[in-house]
Amino acid sequence: MIEPLAATPSGLAVLFVLLGLITGIPAGMFGIGGGLVLVPVFVAVFTVLGFPETGLVQLAVGSSLGAIIPTAVLSARAHHRRGGVDGEAVRRLLPGIIGGALLGAGLATQLDSDHLGRIFGAFEVAIGIWMLLNLQPPRAPVPRRGVWLGGGGIIGAVSALIGIGGGTLTTPFLVSQGLELRRAIGSAAALGVPISIGATLVFALPQWTATTPATPEWSLGYLYLPAITGVVAGTAISVRAGVWLAHHLPVAVLRRGFAGVLILAGLLMLLR
């Protein structure tokens, strides 16, 4: 094992930047993908670095959410400039999204690390199969306040629990409510901002409540700051390319390839 590092060496910094470059593409293309890729890779890297097993998955989930904040902001801005964000849809989902994200993040910090990893793995495999089959949600274009509030709560809670920006769930929900796919993707990216900010704050709280298990230096609660910084630098470059691809290329083939990656990563999380 490599001992936990007191400072970020250049090789590790490059690794996290490259990871950001990779994850920014699917985040911009599909409105999903950042956390689904980041969490299992963070778990693998943190394990190699010799970080304590207790709380390791929480550290990966929290760091993923922290890294998603600027990615979501950049993606949302890029989609907004192309007219891809539906303001009414965002307002309808926002209350449930925020409440659910706070609850989900709180639950994640209390779970056993191995159990949290299995929950993530099962979810990732399910999402990969859904993308591979290209299943379409049933459409219910008549807006109902309770449906939007409950849907937002579920989306926020699940997203914060496993460290994703929510586009995986938000996009099909918005499509089911009658939004055109590209506007659903853009709106999902915008809603990833409150999910990631709210959940990240909860994952940082143990820093001041003395409930965090032993975490490596340069951590803030369950946030590993070197990983967040490197990934943010990479995604700042690549997320715009993902948005451009979403508006210019047929994504069916790329979707199937990405689905395969998710299924493999999910299986590795389940078997670790």
Side-chain angles (χ1 to χ4, degrees), residues 50-249:
F51 292 172
E53 283 291 326
T54 303
L56 187 143
V57 177
Q58 279 85 350
L59 190 69
V61 170
S63 301
S64 170
L65 287 162
I68 285 170
I69 293 174
T71 305
V73 171
L74 291 171
S75 181
R77 287 182 61 190
H79 281 289
H80 179 69
R81 288 171 180 169
R82 295 176 180 271
V85 177
D86 188 296
E88 180 63 23
V90 170
R91 285 190 292 271
R92 285 179 178 275
L93 274 181
L94 189 59
I97 286 276
I98 293 175
L102 296 177
L103 290 173
L107 175 60
T109 62
Q110 302 302 314
L111 286 173
D112 176 80
S113 185
D114 288 339
H115 292 163
L116 182 58
R118 293 188 187 99
I119 291 171
F120 178 91
F123 180 86
E124 187 159 49
V125 170
I127 291 300
I129 293 172
W130 168 74
M131 290 187 68
L132 190 63
L133 298 176
N134 197 24
L135 299 176
Q136 299 300 317
R139 291 180 176 266
V142 178
R144 297 176 181 175
R145 185 174 182 179
V147 171
W148 286 77
L149 184 62
I154 293 171
I155 291 167
V158 173
S159 300
L161 179 66
I162 61 175
I164 65 176
T168 308
L169 302 172
T170 310
T171 299
F173 176 85
L174 292 175
V175 169
S176 77
Q177 298 302 305
L179 262 69
E180 184 267 333
L181 178 59
R182 283 189 171 86
R183 286 179 67 79
I185 291 173
S187 302
L191 286 162
V193 177
I195 290 174
S196 53
I197 290 176
T200 297
L201 291 174
V202 175
F203 275 92
L205 280 178
Q207 179 74 22
W208 297 281
T209 60
T211 59
T212 313
T215 53
E217 193 172 2
W218 301 106
S219 295
L220 180 66
Y222 287 115
L223 311 177
Y224 186 52
L225 301 181
I228 294 173
T229 303
V231 168
V232 165
T235 55
I237 299 170
S238 64
V239 71
R240 292 182 179 87
V243 172
W244 186 91
L245 290 171
H247 286 264
H248 290 82
L249 295 179

Side-chain angles (χ1 to χ4, degrees), residues 30-43:
F30 305 119
I32 69 173
L36 291 173
V37 175
L38 285 174
V39 172
V41 175
F42 278 163
V43 167

Side-chain angles (χ1 to χ4, degrees), residues 7-62:
T8 307
S10 58
L12 191 57
V14 170
L15 172 64
F16 287 129
V17 171
L18 289 174
L19 180 57
L21 288 170
I22 294 169
T23 57
I25 297 294
M29 283 191 68
F30 305 119
I32 69 173
L36 291 173
V37 175
L38 285 174
V39 172
V41 175
F42 278 163
V43 167
V45 172
F46 295 166
T47 300
V48 171
L49 291 175
F51 292 172
E53 283 291 326
T54 303
L56 187 143
V57 177
Q58 279 85 350
L59 190 69
V61 170

